[in-house]
Amino acid sequence: MSFAFVFPGQGSQSVGMMAAYGELAEIRSTFAEASDALGEDLWAMVEEGPAERLAQTVNTQPLMLTAGVAVWRAWLAAGGEKPVVLAGHSLGEYSALVASGALGFADGVRLVRLRAQAMQQAVPAGVGGMAAILGLEAARVVEICAQAGQGQVVSAANLNDPKQVVIAGHAEAVGRACEAAKAAGAKRALVLPVSAPFHCALMRPAAERLAEALATVELRTPEIEVINNVDVAVESDPVRIKDALVRQAYSPVRWIETVQAIAARGVDKVAECGPGKVLAGLVKRCDAGPEAVALTDAAALEQLLQLTRGQA
């Protein structure tokens, strides 16, 4: 069986999200390593919350990277085979790069903490916004954003599945786009409770800070292919990987095409590596071919392990 691993980003976090993995040693040791890298107890944060603290992007980004890598390490420790390809949604791309061997884990944790801080500081509170447009073709949403800008920024930020597009930009422009989308037949247009307008042109100052940080971080050629968000491409040159990460900060996450690229490799199953089922749901709705599963607990991890060994 040919399979791929994908890593979730912001939105999949929850208090106690690692409890379902039981006593897997790799979970606690990975959180301890991340805590040492940041000088902060991430395990206590994820166990005790509150949810509002986990939702702050400066906490969410290192927590979700740590969670994804912890489950990845648990998979390998259990004797799991390496997948044919990796990908991650937004922040999850950093988890994928760690899993691929391209990015050191401690470097990755510190890098996404800085990324989060830069994104938070790039746009003053209340100036930016994001919204999910449901039930409207992606191409139509892109057209609506172009018309709703009126001198402000609003654009597609996450192309998640054929009928779900998240938009981002100036709050007023996002509001105009939401109204236009509903008038055009969208089932819903939901303003999202986020702290910054991710993956749009307003994030260019954050990208500049990220570029400076990446210049000091060692990246290696991935041992497993990673499909990136910004170009839906696989890069082996560390310089090109860094460039893609910088551009990712202010460019849309092309998830539909990413799933299609995974399917084009003949993959039978896509496993979401980490807590939550967001990406598994998106993969299913993209209807590109591969079956999607979510490794949300130790039992799901064991089930996939047996399946890849041909025992289930």
Side-chain angles (χ1 to χ4, degrees):
M1 184 185 74
S2 176
F3 66 103
F5 268 32
V6 294
F7 294 84
Q10 296 191 178
S12 292
Q13 74 279 354
S14 63
V15 177
M17 65 185 177
M18 306 310 294
Y21 298 100
E23 298 302 316
L24 294 173
E26 295 74 25
I27 302 297
R28 290 296 295 266
S29 64
T30 301
F31 269 81
E33 188 178 339
S35 297
D36 287 344
L38 294 182
E40 185 174 7
D41 190 342
L42 297 188
W43 184 259
M45 188 187 303
V46 80
E47 283 293 288
E48 300 167 9
E52 292 77 14
R53 188 180 181 197
L54 267 62
Q56 293 171 0
T57 190
V58 293
N59 294 325
T60 310
Q61 295 202 28
L63 283 174
M64 288 307 301
L65 182 140
T66 302
V69 172
V71 176
W72 168 254
R73 288 177 171 179
W75 166 259
L76 295 180
E81 300 176 10
K82 291 184 178 180
V84 296
V85 68
L86 305 168
H89 191 285
S90 186
L91 158 70
E93 187 171 317
Y94 290 79
S95 308
L97 287 168
V98 172
S100 77
L103 176 63
F105 176 54
D107 283 339
V109 172
R110 288 188 288 262
L111 193 58
V112 298
R113 169 58 64 85
L114 179 141
R115 177 180 183 263
Q117 292 169 337
M119 286 178 156
Q120 187 68 67
Q121 295 165 4
V123 181
V127 172
M130 298 183 77
I133 309 299
L134 308 179
L136 205 60
E137 296 288 344
R140 185 72 183 101
V141 176
V142 171
E143 291 176 359
I144 286 170
C145 287
Q147 297 163 359
Q150 300 178 19
Q152 293 183 313
V153 170
V154 60
S155 59
N158 300 336
L159 300 156
N160 284 335
D161 70 38
K163 291 296 180 69
Q164 184 193 122
V165 179
V166 174
I167 63 174
H170 287 103
E172 297 92 338
V174 168
R176 289 193 295 269
C178 285
E179 293 304 314
K182 286 186 284 189
K187 291 181 180 179
R188 301 182 77 182
L190 306 171
V191 174
L192 302 176
V194 295
S195 56
F198 306 117
H199 298 293
C200 73
L202 296 179
M203 288 292 106
R204 282 186 178 271
E208 292 172 5
R209 287 184 58 189
L210 185 58
E212 293 173 359
L214 278 164
T216 69
V217 173
E218 179 189 4
L219 257 69
R220 297 168 291 277
T221 299
E223 298 169 8
I224 307 170
E225 288 189 341
V226 177
I227 301 173
N228 68 30
N229 288 179
V230 68
D231 301 316
V232 196
V234 172
E235 300 290 357
S236 59
D237 179 359
V239 173
R240 293 177 65 87
I241 293 171
K242 289 182 180 183
D243 175 66
L245 289 175
V246 171
R247 289 184 290 119
Q248 186 223 51
Y250 59 82
S251 302
V253 174
R254 297 162 61 183
W255 193 249
I256 303 168
E257 294 169 89
T258 299
V259 174
Q260 292 168 343
I262 290 172
R265 284 164 167 75
V267 167
D268 303 302
K269 194 177 292 288
V270 177
E272 181 171 2
C273 188
K277 301 180 180 180
V278 173
L279 296 189
L282 295 183
V283 170
K284 290 174 184 176
R285 291 196 292 276
C286 285
D287 197 25
E291 182 184 353
V293 297
L295 304 182
T296 53
D297 53 31
L301 197 140
E302 179 62 25
Q303 186 175 14
L304 181 62
L305 187 65
Q306 298 302 326
L307 191 61
T308 59
R309 291 173 173 171
Q311 298 175 14

